[in-house]
mmCIF file of all heavy atoms in Angstrom:
data_model
loop_
_atom_site.group_PDB
_atom_site.id
_atom_site.type_symbol
_atom_site.label_atom_id
_atom_site.label_comp_id
_atom_site.label_asym_id
_atom_site.label_seq_id
_atom_site.Cartn_x
_atom_site.Cartn_y
_atom_site.Cartn_z
ATOM 1 N N GLN O 66 73.612 -21.097 186.794
ATOM 2 C CA GLN O 66 72.659 -21.379 187.863
ATOM 3 C C GLN O 66 73.236 -22.333 188.895
ATOM 4 O O GLN O 66 72.648 -22.515 189.966
ATOM 5 C CB GLN O 66 71.379 -21.976 187.272
ATOM 6 C CG GLN O 66 70.714 -21.081 186.246
ATOM 7 C CD GLN O 66 70.152 -19.808 186.847
ATOM 8 O OE1 GLN O 66 69.985 -19.695 188.061
ATOM 9 N NE2 GLN O 66 69.872 -18.825 186.007
ATOM 10 N N ILE O 67 74.353 -22.975 188.544
ATOM 11 C CA ILE O 67 74.916 -23.973 189.442
ATOM 12 C C ILE O 67 76.376 -24.177 189.070
ATOM 13 O O ILE O 67 76.784 -23.894 187.922
ATOM 14 C CB ILE O 67 74.116 -25.295 189.334
ATOM 15 C CG1 ILE O 67 74.419 -26.216 190.503
ATOM 16 C CG2 ILE O 67 74.358 -25.957 188.003
ATOM 17 C CD1 ILE O 67 73.475 -27.410 190.574
ATOM 18 N N VAL O 68 77.145 -24.666 190.010
ATOM 19 C CA VAL O 68 78.560 -24.910 189.755
ATOM 20 C C VAL O 68 78.722 -25.869 188.575
ATOM 21 O O VAL O 68 77.945 -26.814 188.401
ATOM 22 C CB VAL O 68 79.226 -25.481 191.021
ATOM 23 C CG1 VAL O 68 80.667 -25.887 190.741
ATOM 24 C CG2 VAL O 68 79.191 -24.468 192.147
ATOM 25 N N ASN O 69 79.733 -25.568 187.763
ATOM 26 C CA ASN O 69 80.101 -26.390 186.600
ATOM 27 C C ASN O 69 79.050 -26.385 185.498
ATOM 28 O O ASN O 69 79.038 -27.290 184.640
ATOM 29 C CB ASN O 69 80.412 -27.833 187.009
ATOM 30 C CG ASN O 69 81.687 -27.938 187.829
ATOM 31 O OD1 ASN O 69 82.646 -27.209 187.592
ATOM 32 N ND2 ASN O 69 81.687 -28.810 188.816
ATOM 33 N N ASP O 70 78.185 -25.382 185.496
ATOM 34 C CA ASP O 70 77.196 -25.250 184.435
ATOM 35 C C ASP O 70 76.965 -23.780 184.155
ATOM 36 O O ASP O 70 76.918 -22.966 185.089
ATOM 37 C CB ASP O 70 75.881 -25.911 184.836
ATOM 38 C CG ASP O 70 74.923 -25.986 183.656
ATOM 39 O OD1 ASP O 70 75.397 -26.191 182.514
ATOM 40 O OD2 ASP O 70 73.704 -25.839 183.871
ATOM 41 N N PHE O 71 76.836 -23.418 182.878
ATOM 42 C CA PHE O 71 76.547 -22.042 182.525
ATOM 43 C C PHE O 71 75.896 -22.017 181.147
ATOM 44 O O PHE O 71 76.017 -22.962 180.375
ATOM 45 C CB PHE O 71 77.799 -21.161 182.555
ATOM 46 C CG PHE O 71 79.003 -21.746 181.859
ATOM 47 C CD1 PHE O 71 79.154 -21.638 180.485
ATOM 48 C CD2 PHE O 71 79.994 -22.395 182.594
ATOM 49 C CE1 PHE O 71 80.271 -22.175 179.849
ATOM 50 C CE2 PHE O 71 81.114 -22.932 181.967
ATOM 51 C CZ PHE O 71 81.246 -22.827 180.595
ATOM 52 N N GLN O 72 75.185 -20.912 180.874
ATOM 53 C CA GLN O 72 74.462 -20.760 179.614
ATOM 54 C C GLN O 72 74.843 -19.445 178.956
ATOM 55 O O GLN O 72 75.122 -18.452 179.635
ATOM 56 C CB GLN O 72 72.950 -20.751 179.848
ATOM 57 C CG GLN O 72 72.360 -22.089 180.253
ATOM 58 C CD GLN O 72 72.596 -22.394 181.711
ATOM 59 O OE1 GLN O 72 72.484 -21.516 182.544
ATOM 60 N NE2 GLN O 72 72.925 -23.634 182.026
ATOM 61 N N LYS O 73 74.811 -19.449 177.648
ATOM 62 C CA LYS O 73 75.062 -18.219 176.903
ATOM 63 C C LYS O 73 73.885 -17.277 177.041
ATOM 64 O O LYS O 73 72.725 -17.693 177.050
ATOM 65 C CB LYS O 73 75.269 -18.537 175.416
ATOM 66 C CG LYS O 73 76.547 -19.294 175.109
ATOM 67 C CD LYS O 73 76.695 -19.508 173.617
ATOM 68 C CE LYS O 73 77.992 -20.263 173.299
ATOM 69 N NZ LYS O 73 78.146 -20.496 171.855
ATOM 70 N N GLY O 74 74.221 -15.994 177.117
ATOM 71 C CA GLY O 74 73.201 -14.972 177.061
ATOM 72 C C GLY O 74 73.044 -14.463 175.647
ATOM 73 O O GLY O 74 73.321 -15.174 174.679
ATOM 74 N N ASP O 75 72.641 -13.198 175.517
ATOM 75 C CA ASP O 75 72.343 -12.640 174.202
ATOM 76 C C ASP O 75 73.581 -12.245 173.400
ATOM 77 O O ASP O 75 73.523 -12.147 172.177
ATOM 78 C CB ASP O 75 71.446 -11.415 174.369
ATOM 79 C CG ASP O 75 70.142 -11.776 175.065
ATOM 80 O OD1 ASP O 75 69.556 -12.816 174.703
ATOM 81 O OD2 ASP O 75 69.721 -11.036 175.973
ATOM 82 N N ILE O 76 74.698 -12.010 174.104
ATOM 83 C CA ILE O 76 75.892 -11.495 173.407
ATOM 84 C C ILE O 76 77.136 -12.255 173.833
ATOM 85 O O ILE O 76 78.152 -11.676 174.175
ATOM 86 C CB ILE O 76 76.063 -9.975 173.627
ATOM 87 C CG1 ILE O 76 76.114 -9.629 175.130
ATOM 88 C CG2 ILE O 76 74.936 -9.184 172.967
ATOM 89 C CD1 ILE O 76 76.638 -8.231 175.405
ATOM 90 N N ALA O 77 77.105 -13.571 173.791
ATOM 91 C CA ALA O 77 78.196 -14.399 174.310
ATOM 92 C C ALA O 77 79.417 -14.472 173.396
ATOM 93 O O ALA O 77 80.506 -14.846 173.848
ATOM 94 C CB ALA O 77 77.676 -15.802 174.575
ATOM 95 N N GLU O 78 79.272 -14.119 172.150
ATOM 96 C CA GLU O 78 80.386 -14.277 171.212
ATOM 97 C C GLU O 78 81.587 -13.441 171.627
ATOM 98 O O GLU O 78 81.467 -12.236 171.874
ATOM 99 C CB GLU O 78 79.961 -13.870 169.805
ATOM 100 C CG GLU O 78 81.032 -14.150 168.752
ATOM 101 C CD GLU O 78 80.539 -13.859 167.347
ATOM 102 O OE1 GLU O 78 79.331 -13.643 167.161
ATOM 103 O OE2 GLU O 78 81.392 -13.837 166.441
ATOM 104 N N GLY O 79 82.752 -14.100 171.699
ATOM 105 C CA GLY O 79 83.979 -13.401 172.079
ATOM 106 C C GLY O 79 84.243 -13.404 173.573
ATOM 107 O O GLY O 79 85.229 -12.815 174.021
ATOM 108 N N TYR O 80 83.399 -14.055 174.329
ATOM 109 C CA TYR O 80 83.546 -14.155 175.785
ATOM 110 C C TYR O 80 83.554 -15.622 176.204
ATOM 111 O O TYR O 80 82.999 -16.481 175.515
ATOM 112 C CB TYR O 80 82.382 -13.464 176.502
ATOM 113 C CG TYR O 80 82.228 -12.003 176.224
ATOM 114 C CD1 TYR O 80 81.320 -11.549 175.273
ATOM 115 C CD2 TYR O 80 82.976 -11.059 176.925
ATOM 116 C CE1 TYR O 80 81.174 -10.197 175.013
ATOM 117 C CE2 TYR O 80 82.822 -9.709 176.672
ATOM 118 C CZ TYR O 80 81.922 -9.281 175.714
ATOM 119 O OH TYR O 80 81.777 -7.947 175.462
ATOM 120 N N SER O 81 84.182 -15.900 177.345
ATOM 121 C CA SER O 81 84.105 -17.235 177.944
ATOM 122 C C SER O 81 84.041 -17.091 179.450
ATOM 123 O O SER O 81 84.471 -16.077 180.024
ATOM 124 C CB SER O 81 85.303 -18.099 177.529
ATOM 125 O OG SER O 81 86.494 -17.576 178.070
ATOM 126 N N VAL O 82 83.473 -18.105 180.103
ATOM 127 C CA VAL O 82 83.334 -18.091 181.563
ATOM 128 C C VAL O 82 83.654 -19.476 182.107
ATOM 129 O O VAL O 82 83.734 -20.456 181.373
ATOM 130 C CB VAL O 82 81.912 -17.696 182.005
ATOM 131 C CG1 VAL O 82 81.604 -16.248 181.660
ATOM 132 C CG2 VAL O 82 80.882 -18.646 181.434
ATOM 133 N N SER O 83 83.798 -19.540 183.424
ATOM 134 C CA SER O 83 83.910 -20.803 184.134
ATOM 135 C C SER O 83 83.185 -20.653 185.460
ATOM 136 O O SER O 83 83.021 -19.535 185.971
ATOM 137 C CB SER O 83 85.369 -21.192 184.352
ATOM 138 O OG SER O 83 86.021 -20.234 185.181
ATOM 139 N N ARG O 84 82.750 -21.767 186.017
ATOM 140 C CA ARG O 84 82.092 -21.750 187.336
ATOM 141 C C ARG O 84 82.551 -22.991 188.097
ATOM 142 O O ARG O 84 81.828 -23.959 188.273
ATOM 143 C CB ARG O 84 80.576 -21.743 187.175
ATOM 144 C CG ARG O 84 79.845 -21.548 188.489
ATOM 145 C CD ARG O 84 79.642 -20.132 188.872
ATOM 146 N NE ARG O 84 79.098 -19.934 190.197
ATOM 147 C CZ ARG O 84 77.806 -19.928 190.498
ATOM 148 N NH1 ARG O 84 76.899 -20.207 189.569
ATOM 149 N NH2 ARG O 84 77.409 -19.688 191.731
ATOM 150 N N GLU O 85 83.774 -22.930 188.553
ATOM 151 C CA GLU O 85 84.364 -24.068 189.272
ATOM 152 C C GLU O 85 84.008 -24.034 190.749
ATOM 153 O O GLU O 85 84.055 -25.064 191.429
ATOM 154 C CB GLU O 85 85.870 -24.078 189.066
ATOM 155 C CG GLU O 85 86.280 -24.285 187.614
ATOM 156 C CD GLU O 85 87.788 -24.189 187.414
ATOM 157 O OE1 GLU O 85 88.514 -24.003 188.413
ATOM 158 O OE2 GLU O 85 88.224 -24.299 186.264
ATOM 159 N N LYS O 86 83.701 -22.872 191.266
ATOM 160 C CA LYS O 86 83.297 -22.703 192.658
ATOM 161 C C LYS O 86 82.017 -21.897 192.713
ATOM 162 O O LYS O 86 81.785 -21.022 191.860
ATOM 163 C CB LYS O 86 84.386 -21.979 193.457
ATOM 164 C CG LYS O 86 85.711 -22.685 193.527
ATOM 165 C CD LYS O 86 86.665 -21.936 194.458
ATOM 166 C CE LYS O 86 86.917 -20.530 194.007
ATOM 167 N NZ LYS O 86 87.851 -19.808 194.917
#
Side-chain angles (χ1 to χ4, degrees):
Chain O
Q66 302 293 344
I67 196 170
V68 174
N69 292 324
D70 190 36
F71 47 83
Q72 289 79 41
K73 292 182 180 179
D75 301 316
I76 56 165
E78 186 175 349
Y80 300 98
S81 66
V82 293
S83 63
R84 187 87 187 273
E85 297 176 2
K86 299 186 300 180

